[in-house]
Every structure is written in structure tokens, then in C-alpha cells.
Amino acid sequence: MAATSDARPVDFDAPPDRYRHWKLSVDGPVATLSMDVQEDAGLSPDYRLKLNSYDLGVDIELADALQRIRFERPEVHAVVLTSLKDRVFCAGANIFMLRGASHAWKVNFCKFTNETRLAIEDASAHSGLKFLAALNGICAGGGYELALACDEIFLVDDGNSAVSLPETPLLGVLPGTGGLTRVVDKRKVRRDLADVFSTVAEGVKGQRAVEWRLVDAVFPRSRFDAAVAARARELAAVSDRPATGPGIVLGPIGAQVSADAVAYSSVALTLERDRRVATLTVRGPDADVETTPGAIQQAGDRFWPLRVFRELDDALLRLRLNEPDIGTVVLRTEGDPGRVLAADAVLLAHRDHWLVRETRHFIKRTLKRLDLTARSFFALIEPGNCFAGTLFELALAADRAYMLDDPEQPNALALSGMNGGLLPMSNGLSRLQVRFLGNPPRVDEVLTHTGAFDPQAAFDAGLVSFAPDELDWDDEVRLTIEGRAACSPDSLTGLEANLRFPGPETLETKIFGRLTAWQNWIFQRPNAVGENGALTAYGSARRPEFDWGRT
Amino acid sequence: MAATSDARPVDFDAPPDRYRHWKLSVDGPVATLSMDVQEDAGLSPDYRLKLNSYDLGVDIELADALQRIRFERPEVHAVVLTSLKDRVFCAGANIFMLRGASHAWKVNFCKFTNETRLAIEDASAHSGLKFLAALNGICAGGGYELALACDEIFLVDDGNSAVSLPETPLLGVLPGTGGLTRVVDKRKVRRDLADVFSTVAEGVKGQRAVEWRLVDAVFPRSRFDAAVAARARELAAVSDRPATGPGIVLGPIGAQVSADAVAYSSVALTLERDRRVATLTVRGPDADVETTPGAIQQAGDRFWPLRVFRELDDALLRLRLNEPDIGTVVLRTEGDPGRVLAADAVLLAHRDHWLVRETRHFIKRTLKRLDLTARSFFALIEPGNCFAGTLFELALAADRAYMLDDPEQPNALALSGMNGGLLPMSNGLSRLQVRFLGNPPRVDEVLTHTGAFDPQAAFDAGLVSFAPDELDWDDEVRLTIEGRAACSPDSLTGLEANLRFPGPETLETKIFGRLTAWQNWIFQRPNAVGENGALTAYGSARRPEFDWGRT
């Protein structure tokens, strides 16, 4: 492929003092997160971020800001999302960025932005944070999709400002961030009206936008700010978050990046580029974790469960964006399983404390990120491991788990109450429920099992895929990884996207399973990205030329 | 694209006397449908159908045979699917056919074969017909996917015969006919074992196949036939179908194909190729329909509800395969709505009679075929229409419905009990429930409405998208169709695949929404279909070369 606007390597650590595109202000229980994209501050110089259009860098800041509100500002109970540009809320993902990006970059960009929007809904559902989109001007494409992720949408009624999804009529692609799904499944816009809405480039404004359920209310410009402020205070009033701070401070993640490794305090990612294999090693706590809310609060971002999953999250994101050729990831753990289980006991005992709750939901979101990472994951459970409780979720999330069965080297894994539904997948089931869809009673059997599972017990219970002995281990693991690495990476991506999500589908899985898959298909099609495709032709004097064959 | 093995035009009328690939035999309540594919009788001479591999022509016969068993042989209560080839059940879709096919052909081939397999499950769920796959030899890819559609799978245990999904390791694509979904969602194979199974080309055989839930039982060759026969009789014993015949005869559909039209007794498809628009007109009954089971049985395939939907089904299939450039389909009806409603009353009054039940489920499947047809459907409701009850489902299935509101020309639509859930979509909801996801009480309101809906009432109730007056009608309809025809056909396909299926997902919608979308993506990727892709290289001396980037 020709030179692209892909901007590797991406750094996902975006502290507020480096924000270019967002302003956060707090007024009592209401935070206002204002989009003010700097045109010349895109990740790549190949495009300019006009009209509050965004690229991955803009979204990394948004994701960071949302995270910080949750952890650093517990006294914030509602968030207003708006824009500092005059008469423009957001024009959506930058088209010139998309046009210049490789297929893989487009797909990963959409995946990350989807996760950010789902994190907004997660905060609303689980953290007592409500979101109000205050659309002070035109709101197109990804801009409207961002609004759709909020609990409510207010639109200024000025005869001009409209919400729209112009991707189909203008660009020949789909809204890439859940827009179609949320329009019909979340806001329950009638499907025929959704069809009209999604095919008129100019969108829908004013009272019709309310009647069609596209927004919750419209106000003339003169009354807009007051209406937004009043509604934000109402939304804030129902929160169960603490009335006052302080929160904790999320310090730098501190990734140490070298040629073939990324190292953190409790996570290590090592890359064997010639084999296209990475090893992701998670280390258990070096000492007993804090056990009281006060001590946890004092530990802040050094509280091991939060720290290790922040590092894991960063490692997964770097893998996705910066290491596209790594096809297989070996998941390992090292440390004292007793300390991991003790940490789980703390997470369970104080699960309603706001900071513990935030930590748990962050762990949940990171594990979902792993479920959605298009790489093959193989867990290797070896002596010295600490696949216990929350960390055993890594093995459950893996495509397969291998456990060494050598009587001379004791080896075990363990479950905890954290495996019982507190870390659900995006389909709403626990990973144990998904694993035992064919044998539901087994879920309780393994959760009530006393003590750890040795390799034979783990295999018999169905908790690991295979338990080779020491004679077979090296060959079996090596051959498995080699075999995987030889398969078509695209076929594996599709295979995993299907096998990892049995059982029910939710709005979330529909976005990643149905909408994203169709979008990825379209992102490959000559009618979009070919020489005369609509995405290619956009912004030029040329009109797109289509192959009219319907597929 | 270079010359392909696409074989247009396809004729979907395949009466048994023209079967080349299947043998049907009946022994009491058990039918045996045996695959015996003739190598040189593919739809195109470009490939040979070795080892019971199949192309669209083979599947058209299978779909026909299944239909005939339901309608013509009510005394059949169980079906054994097996093969007449020695030690080969079925090698799956023919790879050389796939390799030579255009993208659109591959996609439509998979869609049709998926519908055929879902029809097997529909017969099991609703028609008292149980299916036993008797795998008398190797069963690979699409062969195993056909088995997965059956209620039970028996595999011969001869040290050699295995079930397999070798698409990923050998071809770099996915099983295209629901295999991955059914493995984890229907048979509830543990997802890690499903991952192993789907990546080993040689598959799984013998007792391990039972342990992994891939098959229900294995038997040595010496006992296989007896075990199959005994189990088939057991499955037949639980049926609620009539103990004896006769059934009805499904005569030729009798499509009259001309250059720009396909005409049937009650359906007409006219093609305006320059506008890429077709008009599909469905005519109501010319006379009152038969009202008693005896008279219906005597009318046989002339019973209007069955006849009109057989014709509609044929028209939709011809559109899909033979008219790829037609992007928009205008749905119209003509006739006496009173007679349509009278037909609905008959379908409702005798809904438990086997033939009426078959007719209703056939109507349901045809409407699902429409939901899944990748063309834009606009219903035009004009004076003289008979959009009533079952035929109003066509308007509900359409992406939009326009109703002329002209006081000088009375115009109405009507509902019936048939709109109340007897014709569910593949997501399990009625089309009214889907339409009113955002306002569930409206479903009962419109169902209990007395009499027909005039245009204003229909618009107010949300039953039509727009109700233009006679001054606006021509322009609005024309501009709408022109606007639609100007959009990227791929973007529209993705848009419709998302907007048409709000609400819950089922195994069926997962197959079409998630699995198919990923498969279509992969079917576009150079790693599969490029010069050095795995599908291209298969069967040659060359090894595939992959771009290792994961997406």
C-alpha cells in the first residue's frame, strides 16, 4: 500500500497537561467536557482537523478525560459534552484521515472510538455518572455517534443545526462508531425513519429531530445554555457517587518501550517478531494489597489491581496499533496466587465503595478490550503462575489455555468470587458462563470448589483446554503456536470474532459483531476505497463512480 | 474482474424429475435424502463436483427436496441426510467453484445455502420433522455445516471418518454456512475446543468428537446403518404430522421470463434497468380462497396464499442472483383487500392443520428471504392496493412505505391477526414489534383498530413513513428512488443489514449479521482472494503468501 496517514507508534498516555483538543471544567457536581479540536494538531500532518473533526489522538484524550473524571473527580455526577466552536458541535471522524489511512488503521481507529463511547455508557450504567450531549451546532457522523452514547441529547434549534449520519450518501461507508445500532436499538428510532435519516446528507433538525427520537429536546439559542445547565443539575442529582472528593490521581503509566519489549511495573510485553509472537506476562502483587477503603484511596494508582490493569490496557492498545504483525499472544502470569486472591477478597468486600467500584469496572473494561483484540491469545499455565480469580479471567478470555501437568512441579489455578459475574463480557455473561454454555451447572460447581485446581482437576472441570505432561509440553506448545502463526490472519480474526461471543447479543456485541463487520467489509470495497470510490473522491472535484452490482 | 464461474441466469425451479445430485427414498415415516453429487453436472463447466462437493445447483435441489417433503409427504416424520458415496459424506462447498466465482456470487451462494439450512431447523421447530445426519464418511466444511443444521449427528467410527471445518487452516476463509455459530451456539461446544476444532484441517473423529459435542454418537461401520435406522424411527415417533398422506403436489412455478420482466400468475417483476429499479407487484386473490382444509388440500398449490408466496420467493431469488444491478425494488400490491383478509382468516382458523401450517411457515420463510435480500425496498401504497394483513407484512418489511393521501382517490391499508406474531422475523419478533420497539403499546393499538386505516390514520399510527398528497406524490417518490439509486450499493447493503434487525439477536440473525459479515469481509481480502491468497492457491502447487498484518 502507498504511504498512509497511519501515525505509528501511538502513545496512549495522554495526561491533561498535554491535552490539545478538549477542555474540562467543573462546576459543582457538573463537569463540562468541551471539544475544541486544534486543526494542526492531528497525529499526522497529512490532514487538518477542521470543524471539530477528530482522529485517534483526539479520541485518546477523550478516553483519558472520561477515565480521570471517574477516578479523580468523584464529586462530579454529570458530564456535559459540548463544543467550544461556534455553531459546530463536531463534524465526525476526519475524512481525509480516513482516506489516507490503511485498512487496519481504520479498523483499529473505529474499534478504539467504539470502546470510548461504550465507556461513556458504562459510566452511566455503573458509576452514577450521567451524560448530556449539548449540541450547540452542526453534529454530523461521528459527532452524532458521540452524542448517541450520552444519556440525553439536547440540540440547539436555530434553523441550521442538525444531527446527521451522512456516511452513506456522502462517503459510501457506514457510520463507524455504533451509530446505526444506537439509532434503532438504543434510541429506538423507527427503522423506516432511521433509513431516511441515514440517507439524507443534511440530516434532521428542530422539532422533527425530537419527533423521530433522534434528540431529546431542542431549544432556541437564547435558552440553550440555561436548559443544558438545568438538565445537567437534574441528572447529577440522582447520582450515588460521593458528594465530595478527593479522588485519586492517575499518574503516568510509565511504559518502558524498547525495540522488542514494553515493560511496566507489573506487566511485560516481549515481542518475538520473527515468529510474530508476543508474550504478555502479568505479575501478581509483590506485597499484600491494601485492605481498607482509606488505605486503597491513599495508595491511589499504586493499588495493585488498578495498576496492573492500567498497564495491561496500555499494553493491549500498543499491541493493536503499533504491532500489527504480531498474530499470537502468549498470556502468562507470575507471582503468589494467594496475594491475588487476597486482592480479590478486598475488591469483593468493598465492592460498593466508589473507588473499588471504579477499579472493578476498569478491570472489566480492560478484559473486554482483550476479548475484542484481534490477536490469538493462548494462556500458558505453568509452575509459579498466579492465574487466580481476576487473573484467571485472562485464561478464560484466551482462545485456549494449556496447563503443564508435571507431578514434580506443582502447578495450580484458582477461582474466586470475582469469576462469578462481576467481570461480565460484552454479551452480559461471565466468562465462566460462556465457557460452560453447554453445561450451566458446572459454573457453580467450579465456583464452589474448595481450594486450587491441580492440572488434572482443572482439565477434568473443563477450565483448561489441555494439560500436557512435561514430555509433551514444549513440543505441543511450540507446534500449536507455529500452527496458529501459519494461518491467514484475516481468517483468524473472523474466526475469533465468532467463537469468542457465543450466547446472547447486546447492543455492545451488535456494534462489534454486526455493525463493525459490515463496516470493515465496506472499508475494503472499491466503491468506497478504490480509485473512484466515494471515500477517495470526497472533497475532490470528482464524483465517485460505482460498480452498481449489489452484493 | 476476469471471467468467473458465475452461472447466470439461475433457474430455481428444480422438480425431482430433474434432480442430478440427490435421491429421495421413503420408508414408512422416515425419508432418506442421499447426496450423490454428479461431478460433471455443476452449474458451470469450470469445476468438477468431486467428493460430494456442492455448488448452488446442488443446494437448489436440496432446498426443493426439503420443501417437497414438507408439502408432498406429510406422512414423513423424520429425514435421514446421508450420502451414496463410499466413505464420503460431503466435502463441502466446491473450492474451485468458490475460487472462480465473483464476490457477489460467493455472497449470494452462501446466503442461499444458509437459508436452506435454516429451513431444516425451521421444519424441525415448527413442522414436526426431525433430521438425523448420518455421516457415513468424511464430512468437511459445508458438509459438516449441513450436519450441524440437523437435530442429531451420527458419525461412522472407522478410524478415518472425521468432521472438520478446514476453511481457516486450508483456505484462509471462514465456514460460510453458519458453522462457527452453530458449533458454539447450537451444539454449545466449549469455545476453546471449538477454536482447536476450527483450526485443525484434519478435524476430529471417533469418541473425541462425541466428547467435544461435535457429534451425538459414533458407531462402527458394522452397526452404523442399524443405529441410524433405529434412531430415525425414534425421532419420527414424536412427530405431530399426519400419520398418512396424501400431501399436495408442488407443480412448476411457471415463471414467464422476458427481457425486462418475470411474470407469474399473481406476481410480476418488471425491470427498469436504466434506473436500476424493479417493481414487484403482488396481486390479491382473483376469487375467494378456499375455506376448509379439505378444499385447501384439493386446491393444492393453487391455494392463493401458497401460490403467491411461492411466486414471490422465486422472484426474490431471481432478483438476487440474476439481476445484480437492480438496487431498488418498489413493492406494490393490487386487488381486493377483503379477499386477502378472508384468506388470512382461513390461515388463522385452520392454523393447526398441517397444510395450513406448512403454508404459513412458507410465507414466513419467504418474508425472511425478503428481509435478507440486499436491495432497497420501498412500498408504494396507492389506490387499488391490497396491502392487508399478510400482504401488509411486505410494507413492514420494506425500508420505507409511502402512502398516497388524496381525498379524491380512497386509499387504505389493513391489518389482521396474521400481523400479530405468526410471521416472525429471524430475530423472533413480529415486524410490528420491530417497528414499534420504541412504543410497544402501539402494537396492540393497531392490531385492535377497527377497520382499515386511511392515509392519515396510517401515518398517525406510524404504519407508513410518509403520506404525501397527490401534488407531491410523483416528485417525492421519484426523487426518493433516484436518491437511493445514487448511493453506494455496498453502503446500502451494510446500512440495511443493520437497520432492519433491531432488537434481539438469535442464532439465525447471528449467522446473517455477524458470521456472514465477517465472511464477506474475508472474501474480499487479498489474503484469501488475491493472487497469492489461500483460496486462490488451494489445489495448486503454490503455498499462499500472506500479509501478516492483523486487522
Side-chain angles (χ1 to χ4, degrees):
Chain A
M1 178 155 307
T4 70
S5 60
D6 297 5
R8 296 190 179 87
V10 183
D11 184 350
F12 292 88
D13 213 0
D17 57 1
R18 285 196 262 145
Y19 286 2
R20 307 289 301 265
H21 308 295
W22 293 89
K23 303 270 187 305
L24 177 65
S25 64
V26 176
D27 179 13
V30 175
T32 299
L33 198 47
S34 301
M35 199 174 198
D36 190 18
V37 175
Q38 301 308 300
E39 283 188 21
D40 56 356
L43 287 185
S44 159
D46 287 5
Y47 47 80
R48 290 178 69 82
L49 299 174
K50 295 189 179 180
L51 296 173
N52 265 359
S53 63
Y54 59 86
D55 69 354
L56 181 63
V58 177
D59 221 67
I60 288 172
E61 289 185 10
L62 173 61
D64 184 83
L66 294 166
Q67 208 81 275
R68 282 178 201 281
I69 291 170
R70 290 175 83 158
F71 281 99
E72 300 190 346
R73 306 299 294 257
E75 75 280 15
V76 169
H77 298 173
V79 179
V80 174
L81 268 171
T82 192
S83 145
L84 293 179
K85 301 268 192 268
D86 187 35
R87 288 163 206 264
V88 173
F89 173 72
C90 170
N94 186 274
I95 308 306
F96 302 94
M97 175 278 293
L98 283 177
R99 187 161 82 189
S102 67
H103 182 68
W105 185 275
K106 283 198 275 285
V107 169
N108 273 304
F109 165 73
C110 290
K111 189 177 284 185
F112 183 84
T113 55
N114 266 312
E115 288 168 327
T116 305
R117 279 130 201 83
L118 285 163
I120 290 175
E121 292 174 325
D122 180 70
S124 170
H126 302 297
S127 285
L129 261 179
K130 296 297 167 189
F131 291 81
L132 175 60
L135 310 183
N136 56 311
I138 60 155
C139 176
Y144 181 53
E145 293 180 289
L146 178 57
L148 284 167
C150 295
D151 295 286
E152 296 186 12
I153 306 174
F154 283 10
L155 172 65
V156 71
D157 190 5
D158 58 3
N160 187 51
S161 295
V163 294
S164 64
L165 292 177
E167 286 85 347
T168 292
L170 291 189
L171 305 171
V173 298
L174 295 187
T177 330
L180 299 179
T181 310
R182 284 199 182 83
V183 163
V184 291
D185 265 304
K186 180 181 181 180
R187 297 195 62 91
K188 298 181 166 46
V189 173
R190 242 172 53 206
R191 53 162 280 217
D192 58 330
L193 302 178
D195 180 274
V196 177
F197 171 63
S198 309
T199 51
V200 291
E202 66 274 22
V204 173
K205 64 193 173 191
Q207 200 54 40
R208 174 175 263 196
V210 179
E211 285 164 12
W212 287 17
R213 308 171 70 109
L214 295 165
V215 307
D216 293 284
V218 291
F219 302 92
R221 193 164 293 280
S222 60
R223 291 200 288 121
F224 188 70
D225 291 349
V228 166
R231 185 60 187 150
R233 281 191 299 272
E234 287 173 9
L235 289 173
V238 298
S239 178
D240 63 353
R241 280 166 62 94
T244 58
I248 65 167
V249 174
L250 297 177
I253 290 170
Q256 303 291 321
V257 181
S258 55
D260 295 323
V262 186
Y264 307 84
S265 74
S266 290
V267 170
L269 178 69
T270 57
L271 308 163
E272 296 171 78
R273 296 183 197 281
D274 53 337
R275 299 174 68 206
R276 301 189 303 280
V277 173
T279 299
L280 190 51
T281 304
V282 177
R283 281 192 291 278
D286 296 325
D288 292 341
V289 303
E290 296 75 10
T291 58
T292 65
I296 293 169
Q297 181 125 3
Q298 196 160 15
D301 68 353
R302 290 172 292 112
F303 181 51
W304 175 82
L306 176 57
R307 179 162 53 88
V308 70
F309 277 90
R310 282 184 80 209
E311 294 172 356
L312 181 59
D313 199 51
D314 191 75
L316 289 170
L317 289 170
R318 287 172 185 271
L319 250 179
R320 281 189 189 170
L321 267 294
N322 299 339
E323 301 294 341
D325 284 356
I326 298 292
T328 308
V329 180
V330 173
L331 290 170
R332 298 181 70 258
T333 57
E334 291 174 357
D336 178 352
R339 285 197 178 124
V340 177
L341 293 174
D344 277 7
V346 172
L347 293 175
L348 285 163
H350 303 292
R351 55 190 279 191
D352 295 328
H353 182 265
W354 78 269
L355 178 54
V356 175
R357 179 171 77 175
E358 286 305 336
T359 301
R360 174 165 59 85
H361 287 297
F362 181 77
I363 294 171
K364 176 193 70 182
R365 293 196 300 283
T366 301
L367 289 166
K368 288 184 183 183
R369 188 103 82 187
L370 196 160
D371 295 331
L372 285 165
T373 296
R375 311 296 166 99
S376 301
F377 289 95
F378 289 169
L380 298 189
I381 306 176
E382 297 169 275
N385 87 79
C386 60
F387 280 108
T390 292
L391 289 191
F392 185 63
E393 291 288 317
L394 298 173
L396 290 170
D399 297 295
R400 305 182 198 170
Y402 291 77
M403 187 169 188
L404 175 63
D405 185 4
D406 175 2
E408 314 236 324
Q409 304 180 69
N411 192 16
L413 61 82
L415 303 187
S416 82
M418 291 299 288
N419 305 113
L422 291 169
L423 302 168
M425 294 178 59
S426 49
N427 63 8
L429 302 186
S430 71
R431 287 180 186 76
L432 279 179
Q433 286 175 313
V434 165
R435 188 168 192 87
F436 297 125
L437 265 190
N439 185 4
R442 183 64 60 82
V443 174
D444 277 343
E445 285 168 34
V446 297
L447 283 170
T448 55
H449 176 93
T450 306
F453 289 81
D454 65 27
Q456 190 61 47
F459 179 77
D460 290 344
L463 291 169
V464 298
S465 315
F466 299 101
D469 62 25
E470 76 283 11
L471 291 175
D472 293 335
W473 177 262
D474 285 345
D475 273 359
E476 187 162 340
V477 167
R478 184 179 52 79
L479 290 174
T480 290
I481 291 172
E482 280 177 12
R484 193 72 164 199
C487 285
S488 159
D490 304 326
S491 179
L492 289 176
T493 290
L495 183 82
E496 291 154 7
N498 282 279
L499 295 183
R500 287 179 185 171
F501 300 96
E505 299 254 352
T506 61
L507 182 129
E508 196 168 338
T509 64
K510 283 177 90 158
I511 288 172
F512 288 114
R514 176 185 280 271
L515 178 59
T516 298
W518 283 106
Q519 174 71 305
N520 291 358
W521 174 70
I522 292 165
F523 271 155
Q524 283 279 294
R525 298 281 288 164
N527 280 342
V529 297
E531 198 180 342
N532 300 309
L535 192 60
T536 311
Y538 183 79
S540 75
R542 292 180 300 133
R543 291 177 61 90
E545 290 173 27
F546 294 129
D547 173 343
W548 293 112
R550 269 284 197 137
T551 302
Chain B
M1 180 155 310
T4 69
S5 60
D6 296 6
R8 297 192 178 84
V10 182
D11 183 350
F12 291 88
D13 214 358
D17 59 1
R18 285 196 262 145
Y19 286 2
R20 306 289 302 267
H21 308 296
W22 293 90
K23 304 269 187 306
L24 177 65
S25 63
V26 176
D27 178 12
V30 175
T32 299
L33 197 46
S34 301
M35 198 174 200
D36 189 18
V37 175
Q38 301 307 299
E39 283 189 22
D40 55 357
L43 287 184
S44 158
D46 287 4
Y47 47 80
R48 292 177 68 81
L49 299 174
K50 295 188 179 180
L51 297 173
N52 265 0
S53 62
Y54 60 86
D55 69 355
L56 182 62
V58 176
D59 221 66
I60 288 172
E61 289 185 11
L62 172 61
D64 184 83
L66 294 166
Q67 208 82 275
R68 285 179 197 280
I69 291 170
R70 291 175 82 156
F71 280 99
E72 300 190 347
R73 306 300 293 259
E75 75 280 15
V76 168
H77 298 174
V79 180
V80 174
L81 269 170
T82 191
S83 143
L84 292 180
K85 301 266 194 270
D86 188 35
R87 289 166 203 262
V88 174
F89 173 72
C90 169
N94 186 274
I95 308 307
F96 302 94
M97 176 278 292
L98 283 175
R99 186 162 82 189
S102 68
H103 182 69
W105 184 274
K106 283 198 276 285
V107 169
N108 273 303
F109 166 73
C110 290
K111 189 177 284 186
F112 183 84
T113 54
N114 266 311
E115 289 168 327
T116 305
R117 277 129 202 83
L118 285 162
I120 291 175
E121 291 173 325
D122 180 71
S124 170
H126 302 297
S127 285
L129 261 179
K130 296 298 165 187
F131 291 81
L132 174 60
L135 311 182
N136 56 313
I138 60 155
C139 176
Y144 181 53
E145 293 179 290
L146 178 57
L148 284 167
C150 297
D151 295 285
E152 297 186 12
I153 305 174
F154 283 10
L155 172 65
V156 71
D157 190 4
D158 59 2
N160 187 52
S161 296
V163 295
S164 64
L165 292 177
E167 286 85 348
T168 292
L170 291 188
L171 306 170
V173 298
L174 295 187
T177 330
L180 299 179
T181 309
R182 284 198 182 83
V183 163
V184 291
D185 266 304
K186 180 181 181 182
R187 297 196 61 92
K188 298 182 166 47
V189 173
R190 240 172 55 207
R191 54 163 280 221
D192 58 329
L193 302 179
D195 180 274
V196 176
F197 172 63
S198 310
T199 51
V200 290
E202 67 273 22
V204 173
K205 63 193 175 191
Q207 200 53 42
R208 174 175 263 194
V210 179
E211 284 164 13
W212 286 18
R213 307 173 70 111
L214 296 165
V215 305
D216 293 284
V218 291
F219 301 93
R221 193 164 291 280
S222 59
R223 292 200 286 120
F224 188 70
D225 291 349
V228 166
R231 185 60 188 150
R233 282 191 300 271
E234 287 173 9
L235 290 172
V238 299
S239 177
D240 62 353
R241 279 165 64 94
T244 59
I248 65 167
V249 174
L250 297 178
I253 290 170
Q256 302 291 322
V257 181
S258 55
D260 294 323
V262 186
Y264 308 83
S265 72
S266 290
V267 170
L269 178 69
T270 58
L271 307 165
E272 297 172 78
R273 295 183 197 281
D274 53 336
R275 300 173 68 207
R276 301 190 303 280
V277 174
T279 300
L280 190 53
T281 304
V282 177
R283 283 192 290 277
D286 296 325
D288 292 342
V289 303
E290 296 75 8
T291 58
T292 65
I296 293 168
Q297 183 126 1
Q298 197 160 15
D301 68 353
R302 289 172 291 113
F303 181 50
W304 175 82
L306 176 57
R307 179 162 53 87
V308 70
F309 276 89
R310 282 185 80 207
E311 293 172 357
L312 180 60
D313 199 50
D314 191 74
L316 290 169
L317 289 171
R318 286 172 186 272
L319 250 178
R320 282 189 189 171
L321 267 293
N322 299 338
E323 301 293 342
D325 283 358
I326 298 292
T328 308
V329 180
V330 173
L331 290 170
R332 298 181 68 258
T333 58
E334 291 174 357
D336 179 352
R339 285 199 177 123
V340 177
L341 293 173
D344 277 6
V346 172
L347 293 176
L348 285 163
H350 302 294
R351 55 190 279 192
D352 294 328
H353 181 264
W354 78 269
L355 178 54
V356 175
R357 179 171 78 174
E358 286 305 335
T359 301
R360 173 164 60 84
H361 287 297
F362 181 76
I363 294 171
K364 177 193 71 182
R365 292 195 301 282
T366 301
L367 289 166
K368 287 184 182 183
R369 187 104 82 189
L370 196 160
D371 295 331
L372 285 166
T373 296
R375 311 297 166 97
S376 301
F377 289 95
F378 289 167
L380 298 190
I381 305 176
E382 297 170 275
N385 86 79
C386 59
F387 280 109
T390 293
L391 290 191
F392 185 62
E393 292 287 318
L394 297 173
L396 291 170
D399 297 296
R400 305 181 198 171
Y402 291 78
M403 188 169 188
L404 176 62
D405 185 5
D406 175 3
E408 315 236 321
Q409 304 181 70
N411 193 15
L413 62 83
L415 303 187
S416 81
M418 290 300 289
N419 306 112
L422 290 169
L423 302 168
M425 294 178 60
S426 49
N427 63 8
L429 301 186
S430 72
R431 286 179 187 76
L432 279 179
Q433 286 175 313
V434 165
R435 188 167 192 87
F436 297 126
L437 265 190
N439 185 4
R442 183 65 59 83
V443 175
D444 277 344
E445 285 167 34
V446 297
L447 283 170
T448 55
H449 177 93
T450 306
F453 290 82
D454 66 26
Q456 191 61 48
F459 179 77
D460 290 344
L463 290 170
V464 299
S465 315
F466 300 101
D469 63 26
E470 76 284 11
L471 290 175
D472 293 334
W473 177 262
D474 285 344
D475 272 359
E476 187 162 340
V477 167
R478 183 179 53 78
L479 290 174
T480 291
I481 291 172
E482 280 177 10
R484 194 71 163 198
C487 284
S488 159
D490 304 325
S491 179
L492 290 176
T493 291
L495 184 81
E496 292 155 5
N498 282 280
L499 295 183
R500 288 180 185 171
F501 301 95
E505 299 254 351
T506 60
L507 182 131
E508 196 168 337
T509 64
K510 283 177 91 159
I511 287 173
F512 289 115
R514 176 186 279 270
L515 179 57
T516 297
W518 283 107
Q519 173 71 303
N520 290 359
W521 174 70
I522 292 165
F523 270 155
Q524 283 279 294
R525 299 281 287 165
N527 280 343
V529 298
E531 196 179 341
N532 299 309
L535 193 59
T536 311
Y538 182 78
S540 74
R542 291 181 299 133
R543 292 176 62 90
E545 289 172 28
F546 295 129
D547 173 343
W548 292 112
R550 270 282 198 139
T551 302

